[in-house]
Amino acid sequence: MRDERRLIGQLQGQGLLSDLDVYFAELLLQKSDQPSELLALAAAVTSRATNEGHVCFDLNEMADRPLTGLDGQVIASVPSLNDWSARLRQSGVVGTPGEHQPLILNASGRLYLHRYWKYEHRLGFLLDERAGRQAPDVDESVLRTGLKQLFPNTGDEIDWQKQAAATAVLQRLSVISGGPGTGKTTTVMRLLALLRQQPGGEALRIALAAPTGKAAARLQEAIQQSRGSHQLPPSLVDSLPAQASTLHRLLGVRHGSTDFVHNRGNPLALDVLVLDEASMVDVAMMAKLLEALPDFARLILLGDKDQLASVEAGAVLGDICSGYRGPTPLFAEQLQRVAGESPPPDSSDPRALADSVVVLKKSYRFDSASPIGRLAGAVNTGNFKQAWELLEEGGTAAEIRRIPVTDDTAKLAAGRYAKIFEMIGKELAPSEIFAALNDYRVLCALQQGHDGVIAINRRIEAELRIRGDITGDSEWFQGRPVMVTRNSYGLGLYNGDVGIALSNPQAGGEISVVFPVADGSFRWIAPARLPEHQTVFAMTVHKSQGSEFNEVLLQLPARDNPLLTRELLYTAITRARSRFHISTELEVFRSLVHRQLRRNSGLAEVLWQ
């Protein structure tokens, strides 16, 4: 086996493969009828691809070209796709779709770990099946009346929120994508009211969910804040759900297992499920959710297709939206009938999924002249020149600004966070201290490195000690913000929850970490009881998804990194409500704007071709 593992050993020595990648390759070599270097290479790079967030590895990316190391030297020559595929199929451990082998190779040259091929295949089938059948027993006259009441015509432009609401009532699957401020939560409140108005609607079992505890809490807060902002009868408003759950809690965790309590054989007792922040949901979790949802239930996916994809494998929301160019002509006629308007239909014989997708296009937070809105738009379209000019020009009252990398951003951030410690000194309420914390946040692209979250948090804390805002040597100082990084179902704390260390009057002034509750109350937890956590003056852009801050400072590394992408930059910009500042130089910024996140997946092909 030494000869067969020579190539992957070289790649491992250069840091291009992990120990896990090599172990998996060696395992398949042992099981193979015809072990070879090409099998070991294919297995190892497929393992690596999955760990990097891809659902599969595309052999076309490596076939028929020289394989080079970090030093640029050629390590091996990889054969053509046909030759490589033939060798793999002879190995006895690589099968075709539908076979039960450790690796699955399809006709396009995509190589999957078997479980990920199964997740993708099953998810594609379930989405296609749900999109192919409309919701039964919809009273169009009642829907038409409700749409007129909740979405009065205000101009000649298409009301995309009305289109989304009508689609969610008519379809068993609806996908509502929109950037920040496009009114996704407002649309949800109204479409749920429309469902309640339908015959039998008062008996509908409705649930709200999100992929993380933080996202669930934010959805719950947004729904509660918007309950009084609609001209709906109080009885109807009171009938709408007020609580949101994490997906894990909704499906029921089985400790020590990747399976859930609810599945195909034990479906959820639901008629309507609203899932927020769907861009954060990976292919495995989405497949398990679809399996557990009754066939008759409506599934409403909310999210921003242009945001960062899930940390785990897949880019499900992006794949679902990728082929959308308008509804089918038949559904466009139905929308025109019930809503009085419709987007132009897609006349190219689209798939049924086209009738499930709506993209909200009008931002109510950023108008067309807003510097933050314009910057986000320029980045999202890959217009580096316009984005850089906007940063150099700045905006009204420095709404957007570039900070040279030579400036000490930790000192700038410490100056902003000092307000928290002033408020603690005045013994103000936790609600006011949390408002100050959520007014400003430092975001980082990376976890490790000089400009990563860990280092930036340490530097900010050191500056606060120099200023005298933090006193004493204890790690548990008043004002320390912490973020939970592992779910604790017993404590009701979830990955992404943020608390602040304060003197607890209920415990004789001892330091406890206080966490806000959706109903406006607070929970005090002793530091020793906390699950895994970290200081969070700064957080990664990934962890910031689902959050908004009045002002954001994005700290980018001084050197380019393959993890720096357009989607990461867009996500960071759109976390800011009023001000966005960024520490970067031209070349790194240029690379971000031009580099798009690309996740290898066959889901879009399954859904749209």
Side-chain angles (χ1 to χ4, degrees):
M1 190 184 297
R2 183 175 299 173
D3 291 340
E4 287 84 0
R5 73 175 309 279
R6 178 193 61 82
L7 179 55
I8 59 172
Q10 286 182 269
L11 295 174
Q12 181 187 26
Q14 297 193 31
L16 296 173
L17 294 176
S18 70
D19 292 345
L20 178 63
D21 301 332
V22 172
Y23 173 79
F24 177 69
E26 291 177 340
L27 185 65
L28 290 199
L29 287 174
Q30 293 173 6
K31 293 179 175 294
S32 173
D33 297 333
Q34 297 186 29
S36 66
E37 272 194 335
L38 290 174
L39 172 62
L41 176 63
V45 295
T46 302
S47 171
R48 182 188 67 181
T50 304
N51 290 327
E52 290 176 347
H54 302 281
V55 181
C56 56
F57 176 70
D58 190 345
L59 297 183
N60 291 282
E61 295 180 359
M62 195 176 283
D64 206 17
R65 65 192 68 184
L67 179 63
T68 58
L70 291 177
D71 56 4
Q73 296 296 311
V74 175
I75 299 175
S77 294
V78 182
S80 69
L81 176 64
N82 288 338
D83 290 345
W84 196 2
S85 298
R87 293 285 298 276
L88 292 177
R89 290 193 177 101
Q90 294 166 3
S91 67
V93 291
V94 179
T96 57
E99 294 182 343
H100 193 78
Q101 292 288 4
L103 292 174
I104 299 297
L105 179 61
N106 71 9
S108 301
R110 294 190 183 96
L111 187 62
Y112 297 79
L113 300 181
H114 182 271
R115 67 181 182 278
Y116 280 100
W117 173 83
K118 189 175 180 180
Y119 287 142
E120 182 181 276
H121 173 76
R122 187 63 180 158
L123 177 58
F125 171 79
L126 292 170
L127 286 170
D128 195 51
E129 181 186 49
R130 190 170 293 274
R133 285 187 284 167
Q134 285 197 330
D137 304 324
V138 174
D139 188 322
E140 288 193 6
S141 63
V142 172
L143 177 57
R144 189 181 305 112
T145 301
L147 287 168
K148 286 181 179 179
Q149 292 173 342
L150 294 177
F151 300 93
N153 290 331
T154 57
D156 296 331
E157 293 184 355
I158 289 177
D159 187 336
W160 294 104
Q161 291 186 9
K162 181 196 284 189
Q163 294 295 306
T167 299
V169 175
L170 294 169
Q171 299 290 99
R172 290 194 308 148
L173 171 68
S174 55
V175 183
I176 304 171
S177 175
T182 51
K184 294 188 289 294
T185 305
T186 299
T187 304
V188 166
M189 286 291 291
R190 293 176 179 176
L191 72 84
L192 292 179
L194 291 169
L195 286 171
R196 285 287 192 224
Q197 292 172 349
Q198 285 289 308
E202 67 281 356
L204 288 174
R205 299 164 297 178
I206 303 172
L208 307 174
T212 67
K214 180 178 64 176
R218 175 151 182 78
L219 172 62
Q220 187 170 307
E221 179 186 3
I223 290 288
Q224 290 180 349
Q225 288 175 348
S226 65
R227 291 172 78 85
S229 62
H230 306 291
Q231 296 178 346
L232 298 171
S235 59
L236 184 57
V237 173
D238 291 342
S239 74
L240 301 180
Q243 304 294 316
S245 168
T246 64
L247 277 180
H248 283 81
R249 181 176 286 273
L250 178 75
L251 292 172
V253 174
R254 283 181 170 167
H255 295 289
S257 172
T258 59
D259 294 327
F260 292 97
V261 172
H262 291 288
N263 49 41
R264 195 73 175 172
N266 181 31
L268 293 161
L270 287 178
D271 300 297
V272 181
L273 175 62
V274 178
L275 174 61
D276 196 17
E277 297 293 347
S279 64
M280 299 170 67
V281 183
D282 61 272
V283 65
M285 177 61 84
M286 192 68 84
K288 292 172 183 178
L289 175 64
L290 267 290
E291 285 277 8
L293 200 63
D295 291 338
F296 55 79
R298 286 178 174 86
L299 174 61
I300 301 163
L301 302 179
L302 306 176
D304 185 347
K305 63 181 178 61
D306 298 316
Q307 274 190 201
L308 281 167
S310 57
V311 175
E312 303 298 330
V316 175
L317 186 66
D319 286 340
I320 292 174
C321 296
S322 63
Y324 174 71
R325 289 181 293 275
T328 63
L330 190 62
F331 190 58
E333 290 178 11
Q334 189 175 22
L335 287 173
Q336 185 69 42
R337 195 165 60 242
V338 299
E341 60 186 34
S342 169
D346 181 2
S347 58
S348 64
D349 191 27
R351 299 285 294 270
L353 184 61
D355 294 339
S356 294
V357 179
V358 180
V359 179
L360 303 180
K361 300 179 180 179
K362 180 179 180 180
S363 175
Y364 296 88
R365 186 197 304 173
F366 305 126
D367 60 35
S368 58
S370 160
I372 292 179
R374 291 171 63 200
L375 179 63
V379 167
N380 201 25
T381 56
N383 191 333
F384 160 74
K385 184 174 182 294
Q386 181 186 8
W388 186 255
E389 288 175 353
L390 285 166
L391 281 181
E392 292 293 87
E393 293 169 5
T396 306
E399 184 174 338
I400 58 175
R401 182 162 71 93
R402 184 179 72 85
I403 301 171
V405 294
T406 52
D407 287 9
D408 191 340
T409 52
K411 185 174 290 187
L412 291 173
R416 292 301 309 275
Y417 284 126
K419 182 180 179 181
I420 296 172
F421 297 89
E422 293 173 9
M423 299 175 81
I424 292 172
K426 295 177 181 178
E427 299 184 349
L428 296 182
S431 58
E432 296 180 81
I433 296 172
F434 268 100
L437 175 64
N438 291 326
D439 187 60
Y440 178 85
R441 192 59 51 90
V442 178
L443 301 183
C444 299
L446 306 173
Q447 183 79 11
Q448 304 290 337
H450 181 269
D451 296 311
V453 162
I454 295 173
I456 293 293
N457 274 315
R458 286 173 178 162
R459 294 209 293 273
I460 293 173
E461 181 178 331
E463 286 293 336
L464 287 166
R465 291 185 183 278
I466 291 171
R467 289 173 52 95
D469 295 306
I470 300 173
T471 57
D473 298 327
S474 173
E475 65 170 324
W476 287 109
F477 52 86
Q478 282 208 76
R480 179 189 174 188
V482 295
M483 181 171 62
V484 173
T485 57
R486 183 181 293 276
N487 294 337
S488 172
Y489 295 97
L491 288 175
L493 294 176
Y494 303 97
N495 187 358
D497 286 352
V498 173
I500 302 176
L502 296 174
S503 174
N504 184 357
Q506 304 169 9
E510 291 291 324
I511 292 289
S512 294
V513 182
V514 59
F515 291 88
V517 181
D519 62 6
S521 63
F522 292 90
R523 299 175 58 215
W524 298 80
I525 307 290
R529 296 184 64 206
L530 287 179
E532 292 180 22
H533 56 274
Q534 61 185 39
T535 302
V536 70
F537 290 115
M539 65 198 309
T540 63
V541 178
H542 272 95
K543 288 289 188 183
S544 75
Q545 288 181 271
S547 298
E548 293 177 359
F549 308 98
N550 192 47
E551 182 177 342
V552 165
L553 167 60
L554 175 62
Q555 176 72 60
L556 292 178
R559 294 184 178 180
D560 190 22
N561 185 298
L563 296 177
L564 305 181
T565 64
R566 179 188 304 176
E567 290 79 5
L568 181 140
L569 180 56
Y570 169 82
T571 301
I573 294 168
T574 54
R575 298 311 92 203
R577 287 190 293 263
S578 301
R579 291 188 179 89
F580 175 76
H581 295 169
I582 179 172
S583 173
T584 188
E585 295 296 345
L586 184 144
E587 290 306 322
V588 172
F589 187 81
R590 188 202 308 271
S591 295
L592 259 82
V593 175
H594 287 159
R595 182 185 293 119
Q596 281 190 277
L597 177 70
R598 181 174 173 270
R599 289 277 175 90
N600 284 331
S601 161
L603 183 60
E605 184 177 296
V606 171
L607 293 173
W608 291 104
Q609 295 181 18

